[in-house]
Amino acid sequence: GQQVMQIPQYQHVQEGEDFTTYCNSSTTLSNIQWYKQRPGGHPVFLIQLVKSGEVKKQKRLTFQFGEAKKNSSLHITATQTTDVGTYFCAGRGAGGTSYGKLTFGQGTILTVHP
Amino acid sequence: GAGVSQSPSNKVTEKGKDVELRCDPISGHTALYWYRQSLGQGLEFLIYFQGNSAPDKSGLPSDRFSAERTGGSVSTLTIQRTQQEDSAVYLCASSSRTSGSYNEQFFGPGTRLTVL
């Protein structure tokens, strides 16, 4: 079945440093979503990427979808303490009976030291 | 408007007992998902409902786990003969569709299950 791998598992940064998490799928994806989960909270949707090579920005966050639609990344510029949490990618397969199913990566836990 | 709600928020049970976890999705969302999250871990897919289609049960870890969705709205996840390894946070999410494509998932606050 489809597998989505995410690295690194943990990332500790000083406030102001940049942060990147990477996501790789074993199969081609129709789209990929990113979610953020604050400590003690539930996952909250950040963005969806659909097109090959797509790049989207949200303030200090930059999201990329690979040309082959099998990998994605999230980059945060100049991290702030409010960025603390776990970032998950979630991929949707290219078709089939479970088109609605998302496969989540294991997440990257980001810690920001002030 | 109201988001996804789950009940109970916490459930402590003894090994061997059955438990029922409830999820109320956002009104009008046709897709409903159940996930399990162990402490510090990722989201483990359990089951997914879409409208009147047969659910995708491929993530259920054993036949002790079952779920139903009545009237296309409320869903109940049942765990029979609970084991200590079932202890986790159970998250429910719902999603709408636009022109056949699935939109983002909205998650409930989860039910923290502890099996003693």
Side-chain angles (χ1 to χ4, degrees):
Chain A
Q2 181 180 53
Q3 292 186 326
V4 176
M5 306 300 294
Q6 194 173 347
I7 57 170
Q9 186 174 0
Y10 301 95
Q11 187 74 60
H12 308 281
V13 300
Q14 288 293 132
E15 188 172 20
E17 292 181 340
D18 293 355
F19 158 76
T20 305
T21 174
Y22 301 90
C23 187
N24 287 285
S25 170
S26 58
T27 59
T28 301
L29 301 170
S30 62
N31 58 62
I32 194 161
Q33 296 179 353
W34 285 89
Y35 291 79
K36 177 184 178 181
Q37 184 175 25
R38 294 183 184 274
H42 57 272
V44 175
F45 173 80
L46 293 176
I47 207 160
Q48 175 170 279
L49 304 172
V50 179
K51 299 177 183 177
S52 170
E54 188 170 15
V55 178
K56 286 189 175 180
K57 293 189 176 184
Q58 288 180 349
K59 296 182 180 179
R60 293 177 296 104
L61 279 60
T62 301
F63 304 83
Q64 294 187 341
F65 200 12
E67 294 291 340
K69 300 184 75 172
K70 295 182 71 174
N71 61 287
S72 182
S73 65
L74 158 59
H75 179 81
I76 302 178
T77 303
T79 55
Q80 300 176 357
T81 55
T82 53
D83 296 326
V84 165
T86 303
Y87 292 84
F88 293 99
C89 62
R92 176 165 287 121
T97 56
S98 288
Y99 174 63
K101 175 182 171 183
L102 279 178
T103 301
F104 279 78
Q106 286 302 300
T108 296
I109 299 173
L110 174 63
T111 304
V112 180
H113 299 285
Chain B
V4 177
S5 60
Q6 292 185 245
S7 60
S9 55
N10 281 284
K11 177 70 177 179
V12 180
T13 190
E14 294 179 346
K15 177 181 174 181
K17 300 283 189 180
D18 297 352
V19 295
E20 284 190 351
L21 312 180
R22 176 187 168 103
C23 172
D24 282 270
I26 293 173
S27 178
H29 280 194
T30 57
L32 186 147
Y33 306 79
W34 283 98
Y35 298 92
R36 179 168 70 176
Q37 187 174 34
S38 300
L39 186 63
Q41 299 299 308
L43 297 172
E44 177 188 3
F45 167 78
L46 297 178
I47 188 169
Y48 143 65
F49 298 88
Q50 168 52 45
N52 296 320
S53 302
D56 178 347
K57 305 179 182 180
S58 61
L60 295 178
S62 76
D63 58 8
R64 297 187 295 105
F65 288 72
S66 63
E68 62 178 21
R69 188 179 186 191
T70 54
S73 181
V74 172
S75 177
T76 302
L77 177 68
T78 301
I79 308 173
Q80 296 179 311
R81 305 181 301 282
T82 52
Q83 304 294 311
Q84 289 183 334
E85 59 262 30
D86 299 334
S87 297
V89 175
Y90 289 81
L91 290 162
C92 174
S94 71
S95 174
S96 61
R97 298 187 73 174
T98 303
S99 301
S101 297
Y102 286 85
N103 299 316
E104 69 266 34
Q105 294 188 6
F106 291 83
F107 283 81
T111 293
R112 181 176 300 278
L113 174 66
T114 303
V115 182
L116 301 176

